[in-house]
Amino acid sequence: MLRFAVIFLAVIASSTCQKYGCLEGDTQKLEPSPEPSIQECTLYSKSSCCYADFTKQLAHSPVIKVSKSYWNRCGQLSKSCEDFTKKIECFYRCSPHAARWIHPNNTAAIQAVPLCQSFCDDWYEACKDDSICVRNWLTDWEWDRSGENHCKNKCIPYREMYTNGTDMCQSMWGESFKVSESSCLCLQMNKKDSIAIKYLLSKSSEESSSSSSSSSEERACQNKLLKFEKLKKKEGEKTK
Ligand SMILES: *[C@@H]1O[C@H](CO)[C@@H](O)[C@H](O)[C@H]1NC(C)=O
Ligand SMILES: *[C@@H]1O[C@H](CO)[C@@H](O)[C@H](O)[C@H]1NC(C)=O
C-alpha cells in the first residue's frame, strides 16, 4: 500500500498536473496545507509541506540542530549565514512547490531548482567567513549509529571551500540547486518567488519550450516583477 502511494505520488509529481504534493523526506506531509501558527518558514504558512511544530527548532538563534543534523560542527554560524541556511531548510521542508523539482531517482530529494544569481552571491557573502567541514552537506558527513553527523575533514572558511556563490549553490546541496541564467525565472526564498513560480510551473507544462517562448516568458516575468516592486514601493510610502 505504501509502495503504491509512493508510486502514485511520483506520477502526480512528474505529470503536468499543477498539484505536486510534497517531497517524501522524513518530516514532510503527504500534501501541503495551511499552517497559520508557523513560527519560522512563514513564507509557506498559507500552504506548507511541514508542520508548524517542525519549524520550532528553527525559530530561534543559534540553531543547534535540525532533526539529527547538527549545524554547529564548526562552531556557531553567524546570524546572517544562519538566516540563509534557514531559508534553504525551509524551502526543502516546507515549500509546496519543492516537489516540482523532485529528483527522478529519489523522491525525498530535489534536483536543479533554479536559484537567482543574486541570491547565491548574497548567501556566499553572508557565509564566507563562517566555517564548514563538508563541501556537499548531503554526502560528506560521517554519520554515527544514532544518525548524527560528524566532520570527516577539518573546518575551513566557506570562502576556501567554495570559490564563489555559484560554486556554493551548485555544490553544497549536491544536485539540488542550479544557478539560473534568468534574473526573474528563479527563486530567492522571498515573496517574489510567487511570481517566478507561476512562470516556472507553466513552463514545465510545455514539453518543448522553444527559445522564443522562453524569452517571452522572461519578459512577462520581468514585467510582473516590476509591477510587484512598484506596488511594494507604493505600500511603503503609504505606511510612512
Ligand atoms: C537515475 O537512475 C538512472 C539509472 O540508474 C540513471 O541512468 C540516471 O542518470 C539517474 N538520474 C539522475 C538524475 O541521477
Ligand atoms: C565561480 O567559480 C567558478 C569555478 O568554480 C568559475 O568557473 C566561475 O566563472 C566563477 N563565477 C563567477 C561569477 O565569478
Side-chain angles (χ1 to χ4, degrees), residues 6 61 81 90 93 97 104 141 166 201 212:
V6 165
S61 180
C81 181
C90 287
R93 306 275 184 176
H97 302 295
W141 295 103
T166 306
L201 293 186
S212 68

mmCIF file of all heavy atoms in Angstrom, residues 6 61 81 90 93 97 104 141 166 201 212:
data_model
loop_
_atom_site.group_PDB
_atom_site.id
_atom_site.type_symbol
_atom_site.label_atom_id
_atom_site.label_comp_id
_atom_site.label_asym_id
_atom_site.label_seq_id
_atom_site.Cartn_x
_atom_site.Cartn_y
_atom_site.Cartn_z
ATOM 1 N N VAL A 6 3.592 5.660 -2.891
ATOM 2 C CA VAL A 6 4.844 6.290 -3.323
ATOM 3 C C VAL A 6 4.853 6.460 -4.836
ATOM 4 O O VAL A 6 5.148 7.526 -5.365
ATOM 5 C CB VAL A 6 6.056 5.444 -2.856
ATOM 6 C CG1 VAL A 6 7.313 5.866 -3.586
ATOM 7 C CG2 VAL A 6 6.225 5.551 -1.352
ATOM 8 N N SER A 61 17.749 31.510 17.576
ATOM 9 C CA SER A 61 19.133 31.584 17.140
ATOM 10 C C SER A 61 20.029 31.514 18.368
ATOM 11 O O SER A 61 19.731 32.155 19.356
ATOM 12 C CB SER A 61 19.349 32.899 16.382
ATOM 13 O OG SER A 61 20.674 32.997 15.956
ATOM 14 N N CYS A 81 24.566 34.227 8.111
ATOM 15 C CA CYS A 81 24.752 32.944 7.421
ATOM 16 C C CYS A 81 23.662 31.964 7.857
ATOM 17 O O CYS A 81 23.098 31.235 7.027
ATOM 18 C CB CYS A 81 26.135 32.397 7.735
ATOM 19 S SG CYS A 81 26.509 30.827 6.937
ATOM 20 N N CYS A 90 13.974 25.691 5.041
ATOM 21 C CA CYS A 90 12.535 25.958 4.930
ATOM 22 C C CYS A 90 12.011 25.558 3.559
ATOM 23 O O CYS A 90 10.946 24.952 3.444
ATOM 24 C CB CYS A 90 12.234 27.441 5.163
ATOM 25 S SG CYS A 90 12.388 27.952 6.881
ATOM 26 N N ARG A 93 11.938 21.671 3.351
ATOM 27 C CA ARG A 93 10.963 21.023 4.243
ATOM 28 C C ARG A 93 9.532 21.496 4.017
ATOM 29 O O ARG A 93 8.592 20.720 4.203
ATOM 30 C CB ARG A 93 11.302 21.331 5.712
ATOM 31 C CG ARG A 93 12.715 20.996 6.114
ATOM 32 C CD ARG A 93 12.846 19.557 6.511
ATOM 33 N NE ARG A 93 14.210 19.276 6.987
ATOM 34 C CZ ARG A 93 14.578 18.107 7.464
ATOM 35 N NH1 ARG A 93 13.716 17.114 7.561
ATOM 36 N NH2 ARG A 93 15.820 17.916 7.853
ATOM 37 N N HIS A 97 6.003 23.891 -3.398
ATOM 38 C CA HIS A 97 6.429 23.790 -4.793
ATOM 39 C C HIS A 97 7.710 22.980 -4.974
ATOM 40 O O HIS A 97 8.122 22.715 -6.094
ATOM 41 C CB HIS A 97 6.630 25.188 -5.378
ATOM 42 C CG HIS A 97 5.399 26.027 -5.302
ATOM 43 N ND1 HIS A 97 4.250 25.722 -5.985
ATOM 44 C CD2 HIS A 97 5.118 27.137 -4.584
ATOM 45 C CE1 HIS A 97 3.321 26.618 -5.711
ATOM 46 N NE2 HIS A 97 3.809 27.478 -4.851
ATOM 47 N N PRO A 104 14.337 12.400 -9.937
ATOM 48 C CA PRO A 104 13.683 11.228 -10.542
ATOM 49 C C PRO A 104 14.008 9.910 -9.829
ATOM 50 O O PRO A 104 13.188 8.996 -9.850
ATOM 51 C CB PRO A 104 14.215 11.213 -11.982
ATOM 52 C CG PRO A 104 15.402 12.117 -11.995
ATOM 53 C CD PRO A 104 15.199 13.115 -10.888
ATOM 54 N N TRP A 141 29.363 14.001 5.295
ATOM 55 C CA TRP A 141 29.464 13.809 6.744
ATOM 56 C C TRP A 141 29.790 12.359 7.062
ATOM 57 O O TRP A 141 29.514 11.455 6.277
ATOM 58 C CB TRP A 141 28.140 14.128 7.448
ATOM 59 C CG TRP A 141 27.694 15.542 7.373
ATOM 60 C CD1 TRP A 141 26.718 16.036 6.562
ATOM 61 C CD2 TRP A 141 28.192 16.645 8.138
ATOM 62 N NE1 TRP A 141 26.579 17.396 6.791
ATOM 63 C CE2 TRP A 141 27.464 17.786 7.746
ATOM 64 C CE3 TRP A 141 29.183 16.781 9.132
ATOM 65 C CZ2 TRP A 141 27.700 19.053 8.295
ATOM 66 C CZ3 TRP A 141 29.404 18.021 9.682
ATOM 67 C CH2 TRP A 141 28.680 19.152 9.269
ATOM 68 N N THR A 166 28.098 30.874 -6.977
ATOM 69 C CA THR A 166 27.652 29.854 -7.931
ATOM 70 C C THR A 166 28.158 28.482 -7.510
ATOM 71 O O THR A 166 27.398 27.511 -7.434
ATOM 72 C CB THR A 166 28.182 30.186 -9.347
ATOM 73 O OG1 THR A 166 27.790 31.513 -9.675
ATOM 74 C CG2 THR A 166 27.652 29.207 -10.375
ATOM 75 N N LEU A 201 6.103 27.039 -13.241
ATOM 76 C CA LEU A 201 5.148 25.928 -13.291
ATOM 77 C C LEU A 201 4.534 25.806 -14.680
ATOM 78 O O LEU A 201 4.372 24.709 -15.196
ATOM 79 C CB LEU A 201 4.045 26.088 -12.241
ATOM 80 C CG LEU A 201 4.452 25.984 -10.782
ATOM 81 C CD1 LEU A 201 3.231 26.025 -9.879
ATOM 82 C CD2 LEU A 201 5.245 24.714 -10.512
ATOM 83 N N SER A 212 12.197 31.025 -28.175
ATOM 84 C CA SER A 212 11.383 32.233 -28.322
ATOM 85 C C SER A 212 10.305 32.290 -27.243
ATOM 86 O O SER A 212 10.048 33.341 -26.672
ATOM 87 C CB SER A 212 10.757 32.305 -29.718
ATOM 88 O OG SER A 212 9.803 31.293 -29.880
#
